[in-house]
Amino acid sequence: KRLPQAEIRCQQPYRGLLAIDLKQDCNVRVRVPEFITAKDVAVTSNRGAVSPRAWGNYLELPGRKAGEQIELRYPLALREEEVEIGNPGFRKFRYRVTWKGDTVVRMKLISEPVAKGFSDFDGS
């Protein structure tokens, strides 16, 4: 995303990396994803040490300068869960879903496949 203050690039779900290239002096506030905590985030800058402050579900980086390149690195855990998708009272399909961070990276059908399905709009 390009803003007047900064260019922001996120590499999720490939890796947990958020890069911020500042164009103006400003205070920076970054939302921490729900699947990690603020202490899981490592913050670095091309201008030296950064000491972020936790503010609710955000990290605050006050007093940043134009030309600064900030990187936030965080873990992207893989997890699996089984879900049912379908309409209540009609056919449901069971899937094994693999998440990387908060992104679905794989869905595998684990129920019996059917030739066609019907919804409550079909009346069948």
Side-chain angles (χ1 to χ4, degrees), residues 33-52:
E34 292 177 2
F35 57 89
I36 60 171
T37 64
K39 60 185 167 199
D40 295 326
V41 181
V43 183
T44 59
S45 168
N46 64 330
R47 298 255 171 110
V50 179
S51 298

Side-chain angles (χ1 to χ4, degrees), residues 1 4 12 16 20 35 39 46 51 64 69 71 78-79 83-84 94 101 107-108 119 123:
K1 181 170 188 150
Q12 192 176 320
I20 304 170
F35 57 89
K39 60 185 167 199
N46 64 330
S51 298
R64 308 325 315 176
Q69 296 169 340
E71 288 189 347
L78 278 175
R79 66 180 175 87
V83 299
E84 277 191 343
R94 291 182 45 238
M107 288 184 72
K108 181 179 179 183
S119 73

Side-chain angles (χ1 to χ4, degrees), residues 62-109:
R64 308 325 315 176
K65 301 295 181 193
E68 190 169 2
Q69 296 169 340
I70 303 167
E71 288 189 347
L72 294 93
R73 295 180 184 274
Y74 51 92
L76 287 178
L78 278 175
R79 66 180 175 87
E80 286 189 351
E81 69 176 335
E82 290 187 11
V83 299
E84 277 191 343
I85 299 173
N87 294 321
F90 294 92
R91 179 163 292 282
K92 294 182 182 178
F93 303 92
R94 291 182 45 238
Y95 288 88
R96 181 167 292 113
V97 179
T98 304
W99 296 83
K100 189 170 184 182
D102 60 359
T103 304
V104 173
V105 293
R106 183 180 309 119
M107 288 184 72
K108 181 179 179 183
L109 182 66

